[in-house]
Amino acid sequence: MSASAPSPPSLPLLKRVPPGLWTALVWVVAAVQPIVEYVLMPQRYEYSLSYPRDGLDPLTARALLALAFLVVLTGSALLRRRTAVAYGLLIVGTVVSSMAWRQDEVVPLQFLGVDVALCYVAATRPRRTAIIAAAGALGVLAGYLVLRRLTGEESGTASEPFVALTVVIAWLIGNSLHQARAHTAELHARTAAQAITAERLRIAREMHDTVAHSIGIIALQAGAAARVVETQPAKAREAMLTVEHTGRDTLAGLRRLLGALRQADQEQEPGTRDQDPTGRHDQGHTRAPLRPAAGLAGLERLAATTTAAGVRVEVRWQGERRPLPADTDLAAFRIVQEAVTNVVRHADADGCQVTVEYLAHELGIEVVDRGRGGSTHTETPQTGFGLAGMRERVALLHGRFTAGPLPGGGFKVAARLPVPAGAGTGAGAGAGTGPVATTGAG
């Protein structure tokens, strides 16, 4: 995952060709070949019973052949949007083509277009639809065979069993592609779910540190109040108010976080709740202590560190800066930190702009760069899940998150985090106050 706006990598030529074009190409080549070889070319010793030189002389035969081309080309054009109708038109066109040549069987080359369409159906549609499509093709072949036997015109080796074998092979190839895509999608979804779970675990640990810090403040203020309650009642009252405000803010943050985590846990599959997304278990192991959460108070330091690494970070503060709830303050810092890290690693940019906007009831965050890095808005297990982690943090706080390339180049990450009315004692309290301010770390 990167934070730039490049053009996505181009697909190989064979994958860029629409499936309908492949179907039409195969069918048209198979249909034109006998016309060129047995009708247009000078007469040779070879002669085909299926394609006699005078086979297209009647006007009816030419009309049927033109109708077959029209039906097949229409079906090929509709193959991606209306697959069932298009597939039926391909079969009908193939049958009409054999009628134009007055054939009593389907020539294998002519049926290859239907096989290509069947492979696409089996690869992109549910198995039930693919089985019905294969059964339709096999039913047409069986109808030809039965009709010749009933009319007594069966002679020599029938071609229908061989054509039926190509139908089965086409279905098997398409079904294998379908299973491979489904397996890849399942692995990607599982990896994404594990990344989100790991992010929730990290958020919970950070909240644990925040709560521990708040409880430490409460204990210190309560002890101070107890010591001066008789000699300095005003100081004791001030300390107890600090205890109250700290406790209320911490409790509100815990309620928001635990409520969101509980809801996410209920939506998770029962069989995956006890799995450790990192592949490790904490039972019996000592976990390294987490570093203290900085919050937006550490944003200037982050900008200075990143600038020293070679990527200039410009921080813009808008609105009246004020203390934030601890969970909101920490989430805002983590979002900026992740976005700036992506700029350094992937954007191929010499700088970025971070905007933090204090609004009446929410906090706005934007990180914009003008880089030329690789595609980022489509995440894969190979490129990471940074955007998924940021989106999860915002979702836990019931905010709004967007990320994507800019029209003129570059990439923007934007988030809106709600700030409850009367919120007061976050880590961002140390960020300072004042109107609009701009800081360019450099």
Side-chain angles (χ1 to χ4, degrees):
M1 195 277 301
S2 95
S4 70
S7 46
S10 58
L11 294 173
L13 177 61
L14 294 180
K15 292 186 177 181
R16 282 185 287 176
V17 178
L21 183 57
W22 282 117
T23 302
L25 183 62
V26 171
W27 195 95
V28 169
V29 169
V32 171
Q33 180 268 333
I35 299 176
V36 174
E37 183 175 359
Y38 298 111
V39 178
L40 300 180
M41 295 291 290
Q43 187 172 3
R44 297 179 297 176
Y45 293 106
E46 293 87 354
Y47 178 76
S48 173
L49 293 176
S50 299
Y51 304 103
R53 177 169 290 273
D54 59 349
L56 296 180
D57 288 347
L59 182 60
T60 305
R62 297 183 182 182
L64 287 175
L65 189 59
L67 177 62
F69 272 90
L70 178 62
V71 171
V72 168
L73 292 178
T74 302
S76 300
L78 296 175
L79 186 59
R80 180 170 287 176
R81 293 177 308 220
R82 304 187 62 183
T83 305
V85 175
Y87 183 76
L89 290 177
L90 288 168
I91 294 180
V92 170
T94 304
V95 173
V96 173
S97 175
S98 65
M99 293 172 58
W101 287 99
R102 288 172 287 176
Q103 298 179 17
D104 57 0
E105 64 179 355
V106 175
V107 180
L109 285 179
Q110 195 69 54
F111 217 77
L112 286 180
V114 177
D115 291 341
V116 173
L118 176 61
C119 183
Y120 172 75
V121 173
T124 60
R125 297 298 182 265
R127 178 171 294 183
R128 177 186 177 91
T129 303
I131 291 177
I132 294 175
L138 295 176
V140 171
L141 297 174
Y144 270 102
L145 185 60
V146 171
L147 182 62
R148 286 203 312 276
R149 290 188 180 277
L150 292 177
T151 57
E153 297 180 2
E154 177 67 29
S155 61
T157 303
S159 63
E160 283 78 12
F162 300 100
V163 180
L165 182 61
T166 65
V167 171
V168 174
I169 293 174
W171 184 88
L172 290 175
I173 294 175
N175 186 63
S176 298
L177 293 175
H178 182 84
Q179 290 180 337
R181 289 181 178 179
H183 182 64
T184 301
E186 181 183 356
L187 289 179
H188 184 270
R190 187 179 302 171
T191 304
Q194 290 176 347
I196 291 175
T197 303
E199 185 68 17
R200 290 173 184 163
L201 181 60
R202 182 185 178 190
I203 294 170
R205 289 174 177 173
E206 290 173 349
M207 195 64 191
H208 170 270
D209 290 350
T210 302
V211 171
H213 175 69
S214 300
I215 292 177
I217 293 177
I218 291 174
L220 289 175
Q221 294 292 338
R227 286 192 295 271
V228 301
V229 65
E230 294 181 355
T231 59
Q232 303 181 40
K235 293 288 186 181
R237 182 175 181 275
E238 182 180 350
M240 294 310 298
L241 286 177
T242 301
V243 169
E244 180 186 6
H245 292 159
T246 303
R248 287 183 182 277
D249 287 348
T250 304
L251 183 59
L254 274 176
R255 283 175 176 171
R256 287 195 300 269
L257 178 64
L258 293 179
L261 291 176
R262 185 177 295 111
Q263 179 181 359
D265 187 62
Q266 291 173 353
E267 295 173 356
Q268 196 177 22
E269 294 182 5
T272 62
R273 291 185 182 177
D274 297 330
Q275 296 178 358
D276 188 343
T278 62
R280 304 183 300 270
H281 297 276
D282 290 335
Q283 290 87 346
H285 297 276
T286 302
R287 188 172 68 240
L290 295 173
R291 290 179 296 177
L296 290 179
L299 189 53
E300 304 291 351
R301 185 165 132 193
L302 173 66
T305 304
T306 308
T307 300
V311 178
R312 186 175 185 275
V313 178
E314 178 184 354
V315 181
R316 296 178 57 89
W317 302 90
Q318 297 181 354
E320 188 71 21
R321 293 168 66 178
R322 62 186 184 275
L324 299 170
D327 51 351
T328 303
D329 190 41
L330 180 58
F333 176 77
R334 291 301 189 197
I335 291 170
V336 174
Q337 183 184 45
E338 180 67 26
V340 171
T341 300
N342 291 332
V343 174
V344 174
R345 290 181 178 177
H346 310 289
D348 191 19
D350 57 1
C352 66
Q353 179 176 292
V354 178
T355 303
V356 181
E357 183 179 9
Y358 288 81
L359 301 173
H361 301 290
E362 63 182 5
L363 179 73
I365 303 167
E366 282 190 4
V367 180
V368 180
D369 71 80
R370 293 293 176 181
R372 303 181 302 275
S375 179
T376 67
H377 51 286
T378 53
E379 293 178 328
T380 64
Q382 290 78 20
T383 58
F385 292 89
L387 291 182
M390 289 186 273
R391 186 176 290 107
E392 180 65 18
R393 283 184 177 272
V394 175
L396 289 176
L397 295 175
H398 305 287
R400 303 188 302 277
F401 178 82
T402 57
L406 297 172
F411 200 86
K412 180 173 80 170
V413 173
R416 294 280 180 170
L417 302 177
V419 178
T425 59
T433 59
V436 178
T438 302
T439 301

